[in-house]
Amino acid sequence: MRKKVIAGNWKMNMLPNEAMAFIEALTPMVKDTPNEVILCVPYVDLFYSLLTSQNTNIKIGAQNMHWEEKGAYTGEVSGKMLKSIGVEYVIIGHSERRQYFAETDETVNKKIKAALANELKPIACVGETLEQREAGKAIEVITEQTKLALQDLTKEQISNIMIAYEPIWAIGTGKTATSEDANNAIKSIRQEIEKLYDTQTAESIILLYGGSVKAENSKELFTTSDIDGGLVGGASLKVEEFSKIVNFQ
Ligand code: 13P
């Protein structure tokens, strides 16, 4: 049985004092969940969030990293730096980074490799635009993105990766993919992984859904055959709402 994972992506929100207050409030609300709870926070919140989440079941992730370890890359943060302060997870290739910061399937692949080399667990994002969906190309787009993201990775490495399917038209719009559509898309990612690796690897990889996940739709999404949890944006900024998503059962 795959475990369920609920990851919040705060995007560019929350000051350090707000992050600490949020984690303090969330801690008792999620302490008995069987699910894995992750908060992916802005760089400046990482250290404060790590301190506040010590001795809790809340794990902390970053939202991006550079693929080089160090060097003349003004404004960037490396995987080695994230690891050095105790970060465990890192989102790679979110559609907002692909759209606004020119990330490509190639940089996504480089970042995943660098994350793994630094013993960080990447949450790699894939997802189609509305135009691609309307042209009937959604499955083709996401299986291709999956293949390119995982290029040259061994099946041992795959066991430390999660993939989040986030249809771009569902992010921040209030439009959620139906649980059936989302499950089918995620199933196609699992089938692609079976093709690239083997059945056991495909059956064990954690695949998340993201895009307007809320307390009211989380149970329906997360109890389908192939969706193992969610990457939650807006609803992860409200502690009550997020705790309900974590406790969706
Ligand atoms: P929303 O939940 O706000 O739609 O954002 C989804 C997302 O982008 C999570 O990474």
Side-chain angles (χ1 to χ4, degrees):
M1 257 282 273
R2 293 183 298 268
K3 67 181 168 195
K4 299 284 183 190
V5 176
I6 316 298
N9 173 11
W10 282 354
K11 309 193 180 183
M12 197 170 72
N13 294 289
M14 296 280 211
L15 300 174
N17 61 327
E18 294 168 328
M20 290 189 290
F22 185 102
I23 293 167
E24 269 165 22
L26 183 66
T27 296
M29 297 176 181
V30 300
K31 70 176 178 22
D32 297 321
T33 181
N35 307 328
E36 189 151 320
V37 188
I38 305 170
L39 288 173
C40 296
V41 308
Y43 289 134
V44 294
D45 295 343
L46 282 170
F47 196 68
Y48 299 92
S49 302
L50 285 160
L51 284 181
T52 314
S53 63
Q54 265 178 2
N55 306 317
T56 77
N57 56 341
I58 301 167
K59 313 270 175 70
I60 301 299
Q63 300 172 8
N64 179 37
M65 55 170 270
H66 196 274
W67 59 84
E68 293 291 348
E69 276 197 358
K70 61 180 179 176
Y73 301 100
T74 303
E76 290 292 320
V77 171
S78 73
K80 189 172 183 174
M81 290 169 169
L82 296 177
K83 184 69 187 177
S84 75
I85 60 166
V87 172
E88 274 185 69
Y89 293 89
V90 59
I91 298 174
I92 303 284
H94 191 280
S95 62
E96 286 150 16
R97 298 224 42 98
R98 294 179 192 248
Q99 185 181 352
Y100 305 129
F101 303 99
E103 294 210 13
T104 63
D105 290 322
E106 193 191 340
T107 60
V108 168
N109 178 247
K110 279 180 164 175
K111 289 181 180 196
I112 292 175
K113 287 178 185 158
L116 292 169
N118 286 289
E119 293 174 351
L120 295 164
K121 294 180 189 150
I123 304 172
C125 301
V126 300
E128 81 285 359
T129 63
L130 187 60
E131 297 74 59
Q132 289 165 332
R133 166 155 289 248
E134 283 173 350
K137 295 208 159 102
I139 300 295
E140 189 186 316
V141 168
I142 60 182
T143 50
E144 183 68 9
Q145 285 175 339
T146 302
K147 191 166 103 188
L148 294 173
L150 302 181
Q151 201 150 34
D152 306 324
L153 296 179
T154 65
K155 70 176 185 188
E156 288 71 31
Q157 288 176 303
I158 298 291
S159 65
N160 288 313
I161 296 182
M162 292 185 235
I163 297 177
Y165 165 61
E166 300 206 312
I168 294 169
W169 50 269
I171 296 177
T173 57
K175 285 186 204 153
T176 322
T178 64
S179 56
E180 196 187 342
D181 271 354
N183 192 51
N184 283 339
I186 286 180
K187 202 180 271 185
S188 74
I189 296 174
R190 214 177 281 293
Q191 283 161 354
E192 181 65 21
I193 289 169
E194 182 167 27
K195 238 173 28 189
L196 294 169
Y197 298 94
D198 55 32
T199 308
Q200 204 226 325
T201 309
E203 284 303 316
S204 50
I205 191 165
I206 306 282
L207 301 178
L208 309 179
Y209 168 77
S212 298
V213 173
K214 303 184 249 334
E216 73 185 47
N217 60 22
S218 54
K219 182 168 181 186
E220 192 187 334
L221 287 161
F222 303 164
T223 50
T224 52
S225 65
D226 282 74
I227 303 179
D228 303 318
L231 185 56
V232 185
S236 75
L237 297 168
K238 300 175 220 150
V239 72
E240 294 268 346
E241 176 92 6
F242 186 64
S243 75
K244 284 186 193 153
I245 298 173
V246 170
N247 295 311
F248 70 92
Q249 287 104 330

